[in-house]
């Protein structure tokens, strides 16, 4: 019986080599969209940007790397969209209710002009009004008003004093007490003053009688009542005097205030009723508080002095808080928010605390805009997961997008409440939000947030790789050239660029594709430049790219080295020579956050007579994932289809990943498990110098798996350490041939026939390579080919069935 001779895969198919001569010269291509080369996605992005209707915000998936948000920004800028908002925005004082600042809008660049105009208005008033107060006419009128009321006051007091004198009382004040606010009466007796509570002492001294004391108290009460009336009248006279002085002051300043504000109204109030209304309120408030502009204090008028002592703080009421200023013509059309905290996105209101730290106050000058307002009329790009995780951000972002209004408030991330005493006027906003995330987050939001699909109607799903064609190879050349020029790196030779492209192909996982993870590629370019400098050369060569890639690997592969060290020291048992029954080397992939690598693992199978079927030890130990469980169940399906058409299977078999102490998932080892199972049943030894990967279906067809390069390289490294014998190799699915981008040392070993790669499509091919025996097939007589693998297995299964039947008969006789 002859067996087919299987040829290994040609070494030229193990790694796609890019010919440096085939690469074009770099051209000046500035378009990131052209380099990314995914026109369908670019068209979707352009549509989302063009539709201005509510809800047409964009969620982008598929882009990878730390520079993906910057990449999106560049693509959008290249599409040529323009901002639709040309207004400056500022908050001003609400003189009626300072807790509700007023929003004013101006044409682009006019906001800062308005602020300067108001600053100049205030400056002129502070300079000119004191001059009016110092004028002779004003001084005389003011003195006349004061004198008029002083005369009335003196007359009022004098009349009372004459009345009190008749009863021997005089007006008395304690030291440092205000004579108007706290007046009292004292009794005059024998050239001395006595407070009313001291008068009874005169009785003790024998100077007056008790009856006289009663009369004195009676007179005191009457006069005290009259004195309080005088005091109230005096205060009313002061208020009337202040009103007349204020009226005089307003008349004095009215002309200059009106003249200055008329100029501002003419320039900014036409067609802007809110500005006109604000200027009217400014005029009214300035005239009502014109005393603020008198730079001199008036020691004769304490009330005015108290009001004016914090002059600079009072003048804040006339300031303009310009929160959005477009005068510099700096384009905020496409903004990136890299730190999407609540205040960074929606703005904030500062709080000023007193010296004790217990009381916080805010005013309109402490309102600050966030990126949402800064990007108004344009586009704001954020990392989706960051925005989703920040307290309060996602909920408030949805509210803004639904109502298209923004309220600037402070948000306490601990109490989850708004804690500002101000309620600024809401701002109408019109902008696009672009979230950059992954498909998992997108699906989660679609499923659990009913508002999400209403607010983000456009999904742009970039592919992680693009076709490996001449156009995209040229784009890669241009990308490398652009990075070098932008960052002043050394020039790359064509051989070096070819290595960069080969690295991009490996990252894509397919020879016909190339990655769009330009952040990863850019890092490789920079690191290759570093190693060129270490050699003190001016041009980056292929060796520098290879060095950069290997050095990056060595910075992340500590876990891989430790695990392989356990194989090298036989702590983990992996055979690379001889043959064994029921044992095979499977290939696995271990994924960590920053490194993925392949490792061989021994699969063993033990079989016996019984009816338990195939037992997955990993499942029994709760170490098996759902997909691995499915792969093991497929083994039973294959056995039933192949060997149980005429009789039941009387077999118990246990399948185990030896020395595996953590979870196992995936079906890429299902073919290896089936090889070991068939080996154990048929008692046929399998080659241990070969490792196997590939999933299998119930019909014995070998199917493609992931991580093929890492798997092959993992077994190669173990064989190389233990010594290459010239017979070792790997069996892999033929469907994975296009995915091969093996390391150059592996390809070289295959070229020198020290290591072999076999591509198979069917289980029978793998069995024959692993055993050197024909697999066999079902002949016309209903039996398998004599002396074949399937013939041996079928014979042993038939023997199991006979033994099972005999055992059952014996048990029946005994019972």
């Amino acid at each position: 019986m002859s067996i087919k001779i299987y040829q290994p895969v040609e070494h030229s198919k193990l790694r796609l080599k890019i010919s440096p001569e085939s690469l074009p010269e770099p051209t000046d291509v500035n378009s990131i969209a052209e380099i990314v080369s995914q026109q369908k996605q670019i068209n979707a992005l352009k549509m989302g940007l063009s539709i201005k209707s509510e809800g047409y915000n964009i969620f982008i998936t598929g882009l990878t790397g730390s520079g993906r948000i910057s990449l999106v920004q560049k693509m959008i800028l290249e599409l040529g969209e323009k901002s639709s908002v040309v207004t400056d925005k500022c908050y001003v004082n609400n003189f009626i209710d300072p807790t509700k600042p007023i929003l004013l809008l101006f044409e682009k660049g006019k906001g800062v002009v308005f602020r300067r105009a108001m600053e100049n208005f205030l400056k002129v008033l502070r300079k000119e009004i004191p001059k009016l107060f110092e004028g002779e006419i004003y001084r005389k009128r003011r003195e006349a008003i004061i004198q008029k009321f002083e005369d009335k006051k003196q007359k009022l007091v004098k009349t009372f004093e004459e009345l009190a004198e008749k009863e021997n009382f005089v007006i008395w004040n304690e030291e440092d007490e205000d004579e108007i606010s706290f007046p009292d009466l004292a009794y005059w007796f024998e050239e001395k003053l006595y407070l009313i509570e001291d008068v009874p002492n005169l009785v003790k001294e024998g100077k007056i009688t008790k009856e006289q004391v009663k009369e004195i108290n009676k007179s005191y009460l009457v006069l005290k009542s009259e004195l309080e009336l005088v005091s109230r009248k005096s205060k009313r006279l002061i208020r009337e005097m202040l009103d007349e002085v204020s009226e005089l002051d307003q008349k004095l300043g009215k002309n200059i205030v009106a003249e200055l504000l008329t100029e501002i109204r003419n320039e900014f109030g036409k067609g802007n009723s809110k500005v006109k209304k604000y200027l009217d309120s400014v005029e009214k408030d300035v005239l009502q508080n014109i005393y603020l502009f008198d730079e001199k204090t008036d020691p004769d008028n304490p009330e005015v002095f108290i009001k004016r002592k914090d002059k600079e703080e009072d003048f804040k009421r006339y300031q303009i808080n310009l929160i959005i200023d477009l005068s510099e013509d700096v384009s905020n059309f496409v903004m990136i928010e890299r730190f999407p905290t609540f205040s960074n996105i929606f703005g904030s209101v500062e709080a000023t605390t007193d010296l004790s730290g217990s009381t916080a106050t805010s005013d309109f000058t402490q309102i600050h805009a966030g990126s949402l307002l800064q990007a108004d009329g344009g586009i704001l790009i954020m990392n989706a997961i960051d925005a989703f995780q920040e307290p309060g951000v996602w909920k408030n972002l949805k509210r803004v997008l639904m109502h298209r209004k923004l309220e600037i408030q402070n948000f306490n991330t601990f109490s989850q409440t708004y804690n500002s005493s101000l309620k600024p006027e809401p701002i109408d906003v019109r902008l696009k939000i672009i979230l950059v995330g992954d498909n998992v987050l997108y699906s989660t939001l679609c499923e659990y947030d009913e508002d999400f699909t209403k607010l983000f109607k456009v999904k742009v799903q970039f592919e992680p790789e693009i076709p490996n064609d001449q156009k995209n190879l040229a784009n890669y050349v241009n990308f490398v050239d652009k990075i070098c020029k932008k960052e002043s790196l050394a020039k790359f030779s064509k051989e070096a660029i070819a290595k960069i492209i080969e690295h991009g192909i490996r990252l894509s996982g397919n020879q016909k594709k190339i990655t769009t993870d330009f952040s990863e590629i850019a890092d490789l370019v920079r690191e290759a430049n570093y190693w060129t400098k270490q050699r003190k050369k001016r041009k980056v060569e292929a060796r520098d790219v290879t060095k950069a890639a290997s050095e990056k690997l060595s910075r992340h592969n500590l876990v891989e080295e430790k695990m392989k060290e356990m194989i090298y020291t036989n702590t983990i048992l992996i055979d690379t020579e001889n043959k064994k029954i029921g044992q095979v080397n499977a290939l696995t992939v271990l994924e960590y956050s920053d490194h993925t690598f392949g490792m061989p693992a021994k699969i063993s199978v033990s079989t016996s007579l019984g009816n338990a079927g195939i037992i997955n030890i990993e499942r029994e130990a709760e170490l098996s994932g759902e997909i691995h469980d499915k792969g093991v169940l497929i083994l039973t399906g294959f056995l039933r289809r192949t060997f149980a058409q005429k009789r039941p299977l009387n077999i118990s078999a246990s399948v185990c990943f030896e020395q595996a102490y953590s979870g196992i998932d995936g079906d890429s080892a299902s073919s290896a498990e089936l090889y070991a199972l068939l080996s154990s049943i048929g008692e046929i030894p399998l080659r241990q110098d070969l490792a196997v990967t590939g999933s299998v279906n119930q019909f014995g067809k070998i199917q493609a798996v992931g991580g093929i390069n890492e798997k092959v390289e993992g077994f190669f490294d173990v064989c190389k350490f233990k010594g290459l014998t010239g017979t070792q190799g790997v069996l892999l699915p033929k469907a994975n041939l296009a995915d091969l981008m093996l390391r150059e040392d592996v390809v070289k070993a295959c070229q020198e026939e020290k290591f072999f790669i076999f591509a198979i499509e069917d289980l029978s091919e793998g069995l024959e390579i692993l055993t050197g025996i024909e697999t066999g097939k079902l002949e016309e007589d209903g039996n398998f080919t004599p002396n074949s693998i399937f013939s041996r297995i079928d014979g042993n299964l038939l023997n199991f069935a006979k033994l099972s039947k005999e055992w059952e008969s014996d048990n029946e006789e005994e019972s």
Side-chain angles (χ1 to χ4, degrees), residues 268-312:
F268 301 100
K270 291 181 179 179
N272 196 330
S273 59
K274 285 190 71 176
V275 173
K276 184 177 182 299
K277 185 176 180 181
Y278 168 70
L279 293 175
D280 290 343
S281 64
V282 169
E283 180 175 9
K284 182 178 179 181
D285 190 80
V286 167
L287 293 176
Q288 287 178 345
N289 299 281
I290 194 115
Y291 60 82
L292 295 173
F293 296 90
D294 186 1
E295 298 296 331
K296 294 181 179 180
T297 58
D298 188 354
D300 296 325
N301 196 330
E303 291 288 327
V304 176
F305 177 77
I306 291 171
K307 289 180 181 178
R308 294 170 52 222
K309 65 181 180 180
D310 198 5
K311 187 185 299 291
E312 294 303 324

Side-chain angles (χ1 to χ4, degrees), residues 307-452:
K307 289 180 181 178
R308 294 170 52 222
K309 65 181 180 180
D310 198 5
K311 187 185 299 291
E312 294 303 324
E313 187 67 24
D314 282 327
F315 285 142
K316 281 179 65 176
R317 64 205 293 147
Y318 305 117
Q319 289 182 9
I320 307 298
N321 182 10
L322 185 60
I323 59 173
I324 295 296
D325 178 14
L326 302 178
S327 63
E328 299 297 328
D329 200 28
V330 176
S331 176
N332 286 337
F333 173 60
V334 184
M335 282 194 64
I336 295 176
E337 182 51 75
R338 300 190 185 279
F339 304 97
T341 62
F342 191 94
S343 59
N344 284 352
I345 294 177
F346 304 108
S348 62
V349 181
E350 284 185 25
T352 303
T353 56
D354 58 16
L355 294 177
S356 66
S358 60
T359 304
T361 58
S362 302
D363 61 54
F364 74 98
T365 65
Q366 295 170 294
I367 302 173
H368 300 283
S371 54
L372 200 69
L373 194 56
Q374 292 166 359
D376 188 23
I379 297 162
L380 180 61
I381 308 173
M382 291 182 285
N383 189 335
I385 191 65
D386 289 343
F388 194 67
Q389 289 177 339
E390 280 290 332
V393 167
W394 180 245
K395 182 178 180 180
N396 206 52
L397 181 62
K398 290 195 300 178
R399 186 181 295 124
V400 171
L401 293 178
M402 282 190 286
H403 301 290
R404 293 194 171 190
K405 283 187 179 294
L406 170 66
E407 275 193 32
I408 300 178
Q409 290 287 328
N410 278 350
F411 182 76
N412 189 314
T413 57
F414 295 102
S415 64
Q416 301 286 294
T417 57
Y418 300 98
N419 57 3
S420 174
S421 59
L422 289 186
K423 188 175 176 59
E425 182 179 346
I427 306 172
D428 291 331
V429 290
R430 298 288 187 274
L431 80 162
K432 295 279 185 183
I433 298 293
I434 295 182
L435 297 180
V436 181
D438 56 33
N439 282 308
V440 174
L441 179 59
Y442 181 85
S443 300
T444 301
L445 291 171
C446 286
E447 184 172 357
Y448 294 105
D449 191 330
E450 62 181 13
D451 298 322
F452 175 70

